[in-house]
C-alpha cells in the first residue's frame, strides 16, 4: 500500500471508531427575519448527503414539558422573555453541539441571532430587565467561546420587512397572530445592522447575502448561485465583521 492509501485507510478507521464525529463540521448558520424563508432554504439542502440540516427547535419552544414558551413570550414578553430566551439559548447550544456524520452542518438560526437580534430587540424595547440581560449575556459569552459554537459561514436571507410580514400573515401560525408590522420592521433593521451594514456586534464568520424577496418559483436559482460556497467547494475569504 502506498503512503497516501495508508493515511486514508488510517483516517477511515479512526473516523469509523469515533462514530464519524472527529472534527467540527463546516458549520453554516442560516439567518434572516421571521418569515424570510429559512425553512424553504433548508429543504433545498436536505437532499444532499454531505449536509446535516438542523431545523430550528421551535417545536421544543412550543412544548417544554407541555408549556408553550413561544406563546407565553408573545402573550406577556415582560414576564416570560427571560424564561423563553434561556430555553432558546439551551436548545440552540444543543444544536451547535449536535454530532453529525456529514461534513457540512446547516443550522436554522444560531446562538448568535438569538442574542444579537431577539435579545437585542427586547433590550431596546425595555422588555427584559437589566439583571436578566446580564445572566443571558454571561451564559452567551461563556458558550460562544466553545469550539462547537463557532461558525464558518452565515447565509443571510435578506428580505424587505413588507415581504416577510406578508408571508407571516399568510402562514397564520397561531402564536404569531399578535405580531405587528413594526416588530418585523425593527427585527429587519437589527438583522441589517448585524449582517449587511455590519455596524452591530462582531462576528468572525463571512456572510453571504441572498435576495430572499424572490418568489418561491425562482428562488432555487438564487440558491444555486451560492451553493458552491455553502457546500464549501469555493471557500469565501474570512473577514471579521
Ligand atoms: N430568540 C428568539 N427570541 C424570540 N423569538 C424568537 C427567537 N427565535 C425565534 N423566535 C420566534 O420564533 C418564531 C420563528 O421565527 P424564525 O424567524 O426563527 O423562523 P421562521 O419565521 O419560522 O422561519 P422562516 O419563515 O424564515 O422559514 C417567530 O415567531 C420568532 O419571533
Amino acid at each position: 500500500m502506498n503512503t497516501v492509501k495508508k493515511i486514508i485507510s488510517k483516517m477511515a478507521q479512526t473516523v469509523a471508531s469515533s462514530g464519524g464525529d472527529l472534527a467540527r463540521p463546516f458549520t453554516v448558520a442560516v439567518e434572516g427575519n421571521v418569515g424570510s424563508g429559512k425553512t424553504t432554504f433548508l429543504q433545498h439542502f436536505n437532499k444532499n448527503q454531505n449536509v446535516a440540516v438542523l431545523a430550528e427547535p421551535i417545536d421544543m419552544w412550543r412544548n417544554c414539558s407541555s408549556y408553550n414558551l413561544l406563546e407565553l413570550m408573545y402573550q406577556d414578553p415582560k414576564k416570560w422573555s427571560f424564561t423563553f430566551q434561556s430555553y432558546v439559548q439551551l436548545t440552540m447550544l444543543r444544536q451547535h453541539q449536535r454530532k453529525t456524520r456529514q461534513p457540512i452542518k446547516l443550522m436554522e438560526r444560531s446562538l448568535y441571532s438569538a442574542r444579537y437580534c431577539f435579545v437585542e430587540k427586547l433590550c431596546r424595547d425595555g422588555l427584559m430587565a437589566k439583571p436578566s440581560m446580564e445572566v443571558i449575556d454571561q451564559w452567551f459569552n461563556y458558550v460562544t467561546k466553545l469550539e462547537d459554537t463557532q461558525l464558518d459561514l452565515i447565509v443571510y436571507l435578506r428580505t424587505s420587512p413588507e415581504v416577510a410580514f406578508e408571508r407571516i400573515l399568510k402562514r397564520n401560525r397561531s402564536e404569531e397572530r399578535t405580531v405587528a408590522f413594526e416588530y418585523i420592521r425593527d427585527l429587519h433593521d437589527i438583522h441589517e445592522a448585524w449582517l449587511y451594514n455590519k455596524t452591530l456586534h462582531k462576528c468572525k464568520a463571512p456572510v453571504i447575502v441572498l435576495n430572499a424577496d424572490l418568489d418561491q418559483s425562482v428562488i432555487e436559482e438564487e440558491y444555486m448561485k451560492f451553493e458552491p460556497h455553502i457546500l464549501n467547494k469555493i471557500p469565501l475569504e474570512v473577514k471579521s465583521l
Side-chain angles (χ1 to χ4, degrees), residues 179-241:
V179 171
F181 174 72
E182 289 69 29
Y183 180 73
I184 298 304
R185 185 201 54 207
D186 292 352
L187 273 180
H188 167 78
D189 292 343
I190 295 174
H191 277 85
E192 287 284 283
W194 174 37
L195 297 174
Y196 195 75
N197 300 313
K198 300 172 183 173
T199 50
L200 184 71
H201 301 296
K202 280 224 173 279
C203 164
K204 283 173 257 151
V207 180
I208 287 178
V209 182
L210 268 70
N211 177 4
D213 267 353
L214 294 173
D215 191 75
Q216 214 165 337
S217 57
V218 287
I219 201 143
E220 289 268 326
E221 282 170 39
E222 182 78 352
Y223 298 165
M224 303 293 270
K225 253 200 287 184
F226 295 95
E227 202 169 76
H229 299 293
I230 294 158
L231 299 180
N232 199 22
K233 296 205 165 127
I234 307 177
L236 280 181
E237 194 192 327
V238 179
K239 282 191 232 124
S240 265
L241 296 185

Side-chain angles (χ1 to χ4, degrees), residues 58-70:
I58 190 165
D59 290 340
M60 298 178 76
W61 306 345
R62 288 167 129 174
N63 184 5
C64 171
S65 296
S66 85
Y67 298 110
N68 187 337
L69 301 184
L70 181 67

Side-chain angles (χ1 to χ4, degrees), residues 32-40 56 58 61 70 73-74 84-85 88 108-109 113-114 118-119 122 171 173 176 179 183 187:
N33 206 347
V34 179
S36 58
K38 295 177 289 296
T39 309
T40 314
E56 183 174 62
I58 190 165
W61 306 345
L70 181 67
M73 190 273 303
Y74 272 125
F84 180 65
Q85 294 304 335
V88 168
E108 181 175 7
R109 290 205 181 280
S113 48
F118 290 94
V119 174
L122 289 165
R171 80 179 168 206
R173 195 181 268 159
E176 291 172 350
V179 171
Y183 180 73
L187 273 180

Side-chain angles (χ1 to χ4, degrees), residues 96-111:
H96 282 277
Q97 295 196 309
R98 202 141 116 206
K99 302 293 179 210
T100 59
R101 288 186 169 277
Q102 295 88 336
I104 300 162
K105 187 196 245 189
L106 208 57
M107 293 181 59
E108 181 175 7
R109 290 205 181 280
S110 62
L111 279 165

Side-chain angles (χ1 to χ4, degrees), residues 89-101:
Q89 202 152 254
L90 171 67
T91 54
M92 278 298 178
L93 176 61
R94 284 195 187 137
Q95 298 287 70
H96 282 277
Q97 295 196 309
R98 202 141 116 206
K99 302 293 179 210
T100 59
R101 288 186 169 277

